[in-house]
């Protein structure tokens, strides 16, 4: 099961058609079919079910697809790191970013670092904090910007930004009619809430409500800020997300949530005990310098 075989398999899994995959790979169909057959025999499992028009991937195939993508990403990352060591400051920095303020914060880093090291490229992956932590553990990325809290025994970290938590609601919602650009947790009691899916964030929101002797009425958990705003605009509920998640929209308004502990802290993190290539060490030093200015 070499890298080429995995690459062929991933292409077939994405196309779900041997002919289309063969054209994409600049191969003829028979050798590609043979590669997939050999892989199935090697793993002693069926990876695809042959249909009349297209293939259907099996459960084993879906598992292999996820792992193959990780392996191919790691191989690309390893190649980049070795090239960086042997050819000066070149290569690709793989960085994970949570939604909200993180992309805006990181944008200035990318611009400034590229001016100093023009041969460096960036590969950005997004997701919630838990997703990015899993990608750090598996080696798909080496660096990330996540939101607090974090495991101090697992990660090196330093703060890079702060955001306020806000309530996004339809302009037709009664709370939207109340004067002022803030709301209290007490005003949110009983309201259907759409919240980030990260467990630590849900725990924090629950703590706010316990302070007013209540519990949050959470009807939906999701990762996408834009989707959460869209649901709020449709009147499904009030979305509780970072203030910077709000995008100017004629159907919703955003109000900051009053009280202490309603902030969201952004952290630049990487794994403890895992040596990094010089390119990423330099990037960490650059970000620290920019953050302290």
């Amino acid at each position: 099961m070499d890298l080429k075989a995995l690459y062929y398999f991933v292409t077939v899994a994405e196309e779900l058609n041997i002919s289309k995959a063969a054209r994409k790979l600049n191969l003829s169909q028979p050798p590609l079919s043979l590669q997939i057959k050999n892989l199935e025999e090697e793993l002693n499992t069926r990876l695809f079910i042959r249909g009349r028009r297209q293939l259907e991937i099996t459960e084993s195939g879906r598992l292999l697809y996820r792992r193959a993508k990780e392996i191919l990403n790691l191989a690309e990352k390893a190649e980049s790191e070795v090239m960086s060591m042997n050819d000066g400051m070149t290569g690709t920095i793989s960085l994970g970013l949570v939604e909200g303020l993180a992309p805006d914060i990181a944008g200035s880093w990318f611009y400034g670092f590229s001016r100093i090291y023009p041969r460096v490229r960036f590969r950005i992956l997004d997701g919630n904090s838990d997703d990015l932590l899993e990608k750090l553990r598996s080696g798909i990325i080496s660096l990330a910007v996540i939101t607090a809290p974090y495991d101090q025994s697992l990660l090196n970290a330093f703060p890079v930004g702060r955001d306020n938590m806000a309530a996004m609601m339809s302009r037709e919602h009664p709370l939207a009619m109340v004067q002022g650009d803030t709301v209290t947790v007490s005003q949110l009691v009983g309201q259907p809430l759409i919240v980030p899916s990260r467990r630590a964030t849900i725990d924090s929101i629950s703590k706010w409500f316990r302070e007013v002797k209540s519990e949050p009425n959470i009807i939906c958990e999701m990762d996408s800020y834009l989707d959460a705003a869209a649901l709020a605009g449709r009147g499904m509920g009030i979305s509780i997300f970072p203030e910077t998640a709000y995008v100017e929209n004629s159907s919703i308004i955003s109000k900051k949530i009053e009280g202490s502990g309603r902030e969201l802290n952004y952290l630049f993190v990487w794994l403890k005990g895992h040596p990094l290539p010089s390119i990423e060490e330099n990037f960490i030093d650059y970000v620290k310098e920019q953050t302290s200015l």
Side-chain angles (χ1 to χ4, degrees), residues 21-261:
R23 286 196 297 270
K24 189 173 182 179
L25 293 166
N26 293 317
L27 292 174
S28 59
Q29 186 174 333
L32 181 58
S33 298
L34 182 60
Q35 285 275 1
I36 298 302
K37 180 182 178 182
N38 290 341
L39 191 57
E40 289 181 323
E41 290 178 353
E42 182 179 351
L43 296 173
N44 194 29
T45 188
R46 294 186 69 181
L47 300 174
F48 299 100
I49 298 172
R50 278 68 176 172
R52 292 180 63 184
R53 294 188 176 181
Q54 68 173 25
L55 302 174
E56 179 181 344
I57 192 165
T58 65
E59 284 295 322
S60 297
R62 277 191 281 270
L63 173 60
L64 180 61
Y65 175 76
R66 292 195 299 271
R67 297 308 182 205
K69 290 285 284 187
E70 292 177 2
I71 291 168
L72 292 172
N73 285 333
L74 284 173
E76 180 183 351
K77 185 169 179 285
E79 181 182 7
S80 173
E81 290 175 358
V82 172
M83 289 175 62
S84 175
M85 293 178 66
N86 292 332
D87 194 24
M89 195 59 69
T90 65
T92 301
I93 295 174
S94 296
L95 177 73
L97 297 175
V98 292
E99 288 186 315
L101 194 60
D104 186 58
I105 295 171
S108 61
W109 303 340
F110 303 152
Y111 175 76
F113 198 73
S114 296
R115 293 288 296 272
I116 301 170
Y117 304 108
R119 299 173 67 187
V120 171
R121 295 187 302 162
F122 292 93
R123 179 171 175 267
I124 309 303
L125 283 76
D126 56 17
N128 66 32
S129 294
D130 292 336
D131 293 335
L132 297 180
L133 290 174
E134 181 59 33
K135 286 181 171 66
L136 279 171
R137 293 188 189 98
S138 63
I140 295 174
I141 57 176
S142 301
L143 314 169
V145 177
I146 65 170
T147 55
Y150 73 101
D151 186 346
Q152 297 185 32
S153 66
L154 177 69
L155 300 171
N156 297 298
F158 60 89
V160 292
R162 176 177 293 183
D163 200 0
N164 295 308
M165 294 297 282
M168 293 184 287
M169 64 198 76
S170 165
R171 290 186 178 275
E172 307 301 321
H173 194 282
L175 284 179
M177 310 296 181
V178 178
Q179 287 189 341
D181 57 3
T182 64
V183 294
T184 65
V185 173
S186 295
Q187 289 175 299
L188 298 174
V189 171
Q191 297 290 340
L193 303 178
I194 303 161
V195 301
S197 59
R198 190 186 185 199
R199 177 49 50 189
T201 304
I202 294 173
D203 290 344
S204 295
I205 292 172
S206 297
K207 183 179 178 182
W208 305 347
F209 280 81
R210 286 195 294 272
E211 292 171 3
V212 295
K213 297 179 172 54
S214 184
E215 291 292 331
N217 177 24
I218 296 173
I219 63 167
C220 183
E221 302 172 13
M222 62 195 323
D223 294 329
S224 171
Y225 293 7
L226 292 177
D227 290 347
L231 292 180
R234 292 287 185 178
M236 180 177 174
I238 295 177
S239 294
I240 298 181
F241 278 83
E243 194 170 24
T244 52
Y246 172 67
V247 178
E248 194 69 31
N249 188 314
S250 60
S251 65
I252 62 173
I253 66 168
S254 177
K255 294 193 176 191
K256 178 181 172 182
I257 301 174
E258 293 181 2
S260 61

